[in-house]
Amino acid sequence: YNTSFRILLKFGGLQATIPAGAVVISAELTLTFVNWRGNSGVDTCFMTKPWDRSAPTTPLRFQGTGWAFSNWNTASSVSLPWTQPGGWADCDSRASMSNSVPGNGISGNVTRTIALEPGLVNEWFTGSESSNHGLLLRANSPGSFSMFSSSSQLIFQRPSLHVKYSTSPSELPASPTYPVTVVSPGRTLWVSSSLGNDLTGSGDSIFPVRSLRRALDDALPGDTINLMNGSYAGGLAIYRSRLTLQSAP
């Protein structure tokens, strides 16, 4: 593996997507990696420095957002550097997240759900767009893997952000004591033989997959598969341990 290869990720235009006065109480990021080999891992952090991959074309490609620079200042025609090359020194020290990326010798695709610190995500929704600097990901263990981006033709492979919010004071979480290490729970996949789609479904409750086979291929140890009303083919082999199959609540 090589920690020199890093991924910047940002969800823009979030301010108008939840009601005024609402507070984010939980947040999860779903990513799909391609890893044909053994177990690898990925670190994720919140960024504190602005960057803009879509900034106007620079004189030279490397002068824009990349390993050395966070941005290109069009007005002054200069590159704006990260605090240190690679950008990791510009991570928010209040939260850290590390997750495994197991190998998948069947399809190569590995979908992981990464729990995010809700207080920092809440700042994306309640602050101005200029205060949202997104996330940075880097490999943290041996292995070779890639990640699907928003340009993937299949919707379920694109990065997705899931948040739960509340306007009720009784549901608001207590303010955390920073710094915190955020631990991700097992993923829950939803299956519907009538409403699901194995090509476009992500396994989310809103976009379920159609077949139990697809869910079993995607599931990893510790995950839960919720079967919605319907009929499902039997005689399927299960290759992974610690999976929970149950009727959808």
Side-chain angles (χ1 to χ4, degrees), residues 7 31 33 40-44 88 97-101 112 114 136-141 145 147:
I7 299 170
L31 303 173
F33 300 91
S40 297
V42 62
D43 292 330
T44 307
W88 202 256
M97 297 144 286
S98 295
N99 295 83
S100 64
V101 182
R112 301 302 284 157
I114 299 174
L136 180 64
L137 295 87
R138 69 174 182 182
N140 65 17
S141 58
F145 59 89
M147 191 190 89

Side-chain angles (χ1 to χ4, degrees), residues 70-104:
S70 64
N71 215 336
W72 170 260
N73 188 316
T74 304
S76 56
S77 298
V78 296
S79 298
L80 304 178
W82 299 108
T83 299
Q84 294 179 8
W88 202 256
D90 294 299
C91 288
D92 195 319
S93 62
R94 289 178 291 174
S96 60
M97 297 144 286
S98 295
N99 295 83
S100 64
V101 182
N104 183 352

Side-chain angles (χ1 to χ4, degrees), residues 43-65:
D43 292 330
T44 307
C45 77
F46 289 84
M47 295 301 288
T48 62
K49 198 177 188 72
W51 54 274
D52 187 1
R53 185 64 183 87
S54 61
T57 303
T58 61
L60 295 174
R61 182 179 177 184
F62 66 83
Q63 292 180 316
T65 303

Side-chain angles (χ1 to χ4, degrees), residues 208-231:
V209 297
R210 183 184 63 81
S211 68
L212 179 55
R213 177 72 275 160
R214 161 70 197 282
L216 288 171
D217 287 345
D218 286 356
L220 297 169
D223 288 351
T224 298
I225 297 175
N226 284 340
L227 296 175
M228 303 170 76
N229 290 338
S231 299

Side-chain angles (χ1 to χ4, degrees), residues 154 156 191 196-201 208-215:
L154 299 179
F156 72 87
V191 188
N197 190 309
D198 282 351
L199 293 179
T200 61
V209 297
R210 183 184 63 81
S211 68
L212 179 55
R213 177 72 275 160
R214 161 70 197 282

Side-chain angles (χ1 to χ4, degrees), residues 154-206:
L154 299 179
I155 295 176
F156 72 87
Q157 292 176 338
R158 299 173 185 173
S160 61
L161 177 66
H162 304 260
V163 300
K164 180 180 179 181
Y165 63 84
S166 176
T167 57
S168 172
S170 63
E171 293 184 359
L172 302 184
S175 299
T177 300
Y178 295 117
V180 297
T181 299
V182 184
V183 179
S184 297
R187 184 186 179 207
T188 298
L189 296 100
W190 295 72
V191 188
S192 173
S193 59
S194 58
L195 302 176
N197 190 309
D198 282 351
L199 293 179
T200 61
S202 64
D204 183 82
S205 59
I206 301 176

